[in-house]
Amino acid sequence: MLELVLCDDEKIYRNDLKKILGTDLELSGIDYRVTEFSCGEELLAGSSNNGSQIIFLDIEMKDLDGIETAKKLRARNSHAVIIFVTSYPDFVFQGYEVRALNYIMKSYKPEKIIEVLHKAMEELEVSTEKYYVVEQRSGTIRIPLSRIRYFSSDKRLIHVVTDTETYEFYGKLSDLETKLSNAFVRIHNRYLIHLKYLNEIQGSQAIVDGEALPVSKSCKSALSIAFAKFMLH
C-alpha cells in the first residue's frame, strides 16, 4: 500500500490535493492511504508510526516551517520522497539540501500534481500500471487496466474489450466489480465501463471511446454522479 502524507496548515489545500491524488491513484488501481497533518510538529510526532513514502509538505507554516520539518525528517534518516508545496517560488532552492524531489505551486494544477506523483512513484519503484489477469486454456493473459474500454457479459461469458482486441473468459460482472477500482462503473446488467474512456452520456446511451453502449435506468443516476466527479478532476 502506498503511504501518502499531506502536511499543510490550510485544510482547503489538503482537501484539494487529496482529491486530485485520490482520483489518479484510483484510476491506476493502486492501493493507498492518506494521512493528514496541519503542522510540522504534528508530522514529526506522527511520522514514526506512519511509514510514509511520499510527503507533500507545505513550506510556509507557522512555528516550524516546511524546510525545518524536512531537515528534522532527514536527520532521522527518513527516506521518504519529499515534495514541497509553496506559494512562493523563491523558497524552492532551499529544497536541495533536504533532497526534495520536486515542488508544487499553489493554486494547484492537477496535471502538475499527477506528473510529480508519478515521478515520486518511479523513485520508489511503484508501478502505475495494473493488470487484469485472464485464465484461459492456452495460458494466462495479463491485460493492462489502462487499455480496457469495458467488460460485457453474455450469460456466463465475459468479453474484455481493449483498444486492439477482445478477450473472453467465464465469470460474472458482479464479481468483477468487487475486484476493480472505482474507475470502472456499472452502466447496465451486461456492461461495466472504464470512466477514462467515457466520452459522454446521451439519454439512455453511454459513448465509450466512440461506441454507444446501453445505460439502464437503475444505473443512470450513479453513472452520472461518477462521471461528473471524474470530469471535475
Side-chain angles (χ1 to χ4, degrees):
M1 178 177 290
L2 185 64
E3 296 285 355
L4 303 172
V5 165
L6 312 183
C7 184
D8 194 316
D9 55 3
E10 296 184 78
K11 187 174 179 60
I12 186 171
Y13 285 116
R14 297 202 307 269
N15 288 343
D16 288 347
L17 195 53
K18 186 163 60 174
K19 287 178 183 177
I20 296 167
L21 294 169
T23 298
D24 184 72
L25 291 169
E26 286 170 14
L27 286 172
S28 299
I30 294 173
D31 291 329
Y32 69 97
R33 178 166 50 208
V34 175
T35 305
E36 298 181 52
F37 299 101
S38 61
C39 64
E41 292 86 348
E42 282 186 6
L43 170 57
L44 291 169
S47 62
S48 60
N49 300 320
N50 178 263
S52 53
Q53 294 172 284
I54 303 175
I55 301 174
F56 289 85
L57 183 57
D58 185 24
I59 291 180
E60 306 89 53
M61 294 186 292
K62 296 177 182 178
D63 298 326
L64 195 65
D65 65 24
I67 298 293
E68 290 304 314
T69 301
K71 287 180 180 178
K72 290 180 181 296
L73 284 170
R74 291 301 187 222
R76 294 179 177 182
N77 203 30
S78 169
H79 297 291
V81 174
I82 296 175
I83 298 164
F84 280 127
V85 175
T86 180
S87 300
Y88 306 99
D90 293 344
F91 284 111
V92 169
F93 297 103
Q94 298 180 48
Y96 293 116
E97 60 183 302
V98 291
R99 305 192 309 279
L101 174 72
N102 214 317
Y103 72 95
I104 297 171
M105 294 294 297
K106 298 178 182 179
S107 294
Y108 298 135
K109 293 183 178 179
E111 60 274 14
K112 175 64 176 179
I113 292 170
I114 292 168
E115 175 192 331
V116 172
L117 171 65
H118 287 189
K119 283 183 180 178
M121 289 195 291
E122 286 176 14
E123 186 96 353
L124 294 167
E125 297 183 345
V126 176
S127 174
T128 59
E129 185 66 273
K130 294 294 179 181
Y131 297 85
Y132 186 79
V133 178
V134 175
E135 300 289 349
Q136 295 184 329
R137 290 181 180 178
S138 57
T140 301
I141 301 173
R142 297 168 75 241
I143 309 170
L145 288 179
S146 61
R147 291 179 50 204
I148 298 175
R149 270 50 177 170
Y150 62 88
F151 294 88
S152 66
S153 68
D154 181 7
K155 296 180 180 177
R156 291 279 296 174
L157 188 63
I158 303 290
H159 304 274
V160 189
V161 180
T162 72
D163 53 340
T164 56
E165 54 193 302
T166 299
Y167 303 90
E168 296 179 346
F169 67 97
Y170 289 97
K172 296 180 180 179
L173 280 186
S174 56
D175 292 337
L176 281 178
E177 284 185 282
T178 62
K179 297 177 182 177
L180 297 170
S181 69
N182 293 335
F184 287 86
V185 177
R186 189 71 164 260
I187 65 168
H188 189 276
N189 63 356
R190 292 184 55 225
Y191 292 93
L192 185 64
I193 69 166
H194 196 317
L195 278 176
K196 178 180 177 180
Y197 296 103
L198 177 58
N199 305 127
E200 60 179 316
I201 301 170
Q202 294 181 348
S204 60
Q205 290 185 324
I207 310 302
V208 180
D209 199 28
E211 183 179 354
L213 301 177
V215 177
S216 65
K217 289 182 179 179
S218 61
C219 296
K220 189 170 184 180
S221 177
L223 172 62
S224 297
I225 293 171
F227 188 41
K229 287 181 178 179
F230 175 74
M231 292 300 289
L232 285 173
H233 303 296

